[in-house]
Amino acid sequence: MTSAPAPSAEVRLAASPALTPLLARGALLSPLKRPRPGADGPGTRLVLPGPRVDTARLAAYERVCGFPTGEDALPVTYPHVLGFPLAMRLMSAPGFPLPLLGLVHTSIRITRHRATPPAGDYELTVYVDGLAPHRRGTEAAVVTELRDGGDVVWESRSTYLARHRTADAGRQEEEKKKEEEERDAPLPAVEEWRPAGDVGRRYAAASGDRNPIHLYPFTARLFGFPRAIAHGMWTVARCLAAHGTPDATRVRADFRAPVLLPGTVTYAAAGGRFALRGEGGRVHVAGEVAPA
């Protein structure tokens, strides 16, 4: 059963929060939190009028993700970057019931209603839309909305998973695996990519997301990874840069397994569907693009 979000209180920000102190606060508070699906999520809606698009960082983001530079519209995934500091402020706060350390980005759903020029007069809103039980723990949904003149022009819904023991976890795991196999018929390979060991650092510099699991082998090993892993949002952005998206579009992406850096992956696509596969056909990302 999904927990309903608490009555919302709007907080308007004067500037985008700095990410590093938020990540530090979230890490310090994580050991004090005990995730459970029945917990109340924070009822705060953060609003940032006039989010600033730094053209140098935007160009760096376009280069590392494979988007053309200097386009008249933001890449379809870029508003997530603008909203991420607000999401981190919510998820690192004492009132957020899930520990930030170990939280896994499991999916994103994006709807872009029209093209979004970098110089638009925008307003960002980010809030947590409740918690829900997951076969591997508890999942929180974070909604980001980009408005122009009061109209929502871009919106997303991301899910983040805190892992812990659950009842009937084995049965639910088998059901989910069967569902994924039935839905994800193999796609033809399009091209092979070899993401370098510095992709995590380059994406971190462009996006501001400097989670240590993405930066260096020694920082990733502190969290149980043999070497650094690519940001999930880099993997989906790289796929969408290759796939292409119409101005009005819906995107679904599910993050299945981390991409180790450096590494070799295969981009596969057919029609509106795409996937990123690793050795042995292991699926890292699976998604779909459709007109909105």
Side-chain angles (χ1 to χ4, degrees):
M1 180 177 179
T2 303
S3 68
S8 61
E10 184 176 289
V11 175
R12 297 183 72 83
L13 305 177
S16 185
L19 272 171
T20 300
L22 296 178
L23 291 170
R25 179 177 72 173
L28 290 172
L29 292 176
S30 287
L32 307 177
K33 298 185 178 184
R34 297 292 180 267
R36 54 186 177 86
D40 291 330
T44 305
R45 298 171 69 96
L46 297 180
V47 179
L48 178 63
R52 179 173 171 267
V53 176
D54 184 308
T55 55
R57 287 182 64 177
L58 172 60
Y61 178 89
E62 291 167 336
R63 286 192 295 270
V64 72
C65 296
F67 291 106
T69 58
E71 295 287 289
D72 292 335
L74 295 172
V76 66
T77 48
Y78 197 74
H80 173 87
V81 173
L82 298 177
F84 189 66
L86 281 68
M88 283 296 101
R89 174 162 163 168
L90 291 174
M91 291 193 286
S92 67
F96 184 70
L98 306 183
L100 190 62
L101 282 183
L103 207 60
V104 179
H105 195 182
T106 52
S107 74
I108 188 167
R109 306 289 186 267
I110 295 171
T111 301
R112 183 172 65 184
H113 300 280
R114 62 169 174 78
T116 51
D121 185 18
Y122 300 121
E123 181 177 86
L124 269 172
T125 301
V126 179
Y127 61 94
V128 177
D129 192 28
L131 297 135
H134 185 277
R135 68 190 189 281
R136 294 182 180 175
T138 300
E139 203 169 55
V142 178
V143 174
T144 301
E145 298 170 343
L146 187 71
R147 285 181 169 79
D148 186 0
D151 297 326
V152 176
V153 293
W154 184 100
E155 54 191 315
S156 73
R157 183 182 182 88
S158 282
T159 55
Y160 295 90
L161 172 66
R163 290 192 176 101
H164 59 83
R165 289 187 177 183
T166 62
D168 299 325
R171 177 182 58 80
Q172 294 177 40
E173 191 73 22
E174 286 300 316
E175 290 176 354
K176 181 65 175 178
K177 183 177 180 182
K178 183 179 179 181
E179 176 189 316
E180 290 175 351
E181 288 174 349
E182 290 174 349
R183 184 180 66 190
D184 297 337
L187 297 172
V190 177
E191 56 187 351
E192 185 178 273
W193 299 336
R194 296 179 181 272
D198 68 346
V199 161
R201 296 190 293 277
R202 291 175 58 208
Y203 184 87
S207 68
D209 182 0
R210 291 181 171 83
N211 187 322
I213 62 175
H214 304 302
L215 303 182
Y216 299 97
F218 73 92
T219 56
R221 282 195 290 269
L222 295 174
F223 298 91
F225 296 99
R227 55 188 191 269
I229 65 172
H231 295 71
M233 285 304 299
W234 176 83
T235 61
V236 69
R238 184 68 186 87
C239 288
L240 293 173
H243 191 282
T245 55
D247 286 348
T249 189
R250 288 189 177 91
V251 173
R252 168 187 66 82
D254 297 318
F255 305 112
R256 304 277 181 81
V259 174
L260 295 173
L261 300 172
T264 302
V265 291
T266 300
Y267 167 67
R273 294 173 55 218
F274 65 87
L276 198 63
R277 299 196 300 255
E279 293 182 4
R282 186 186 193 191
V283 177
H284 296 289
V285 181
E288 189 172 9
V289 175

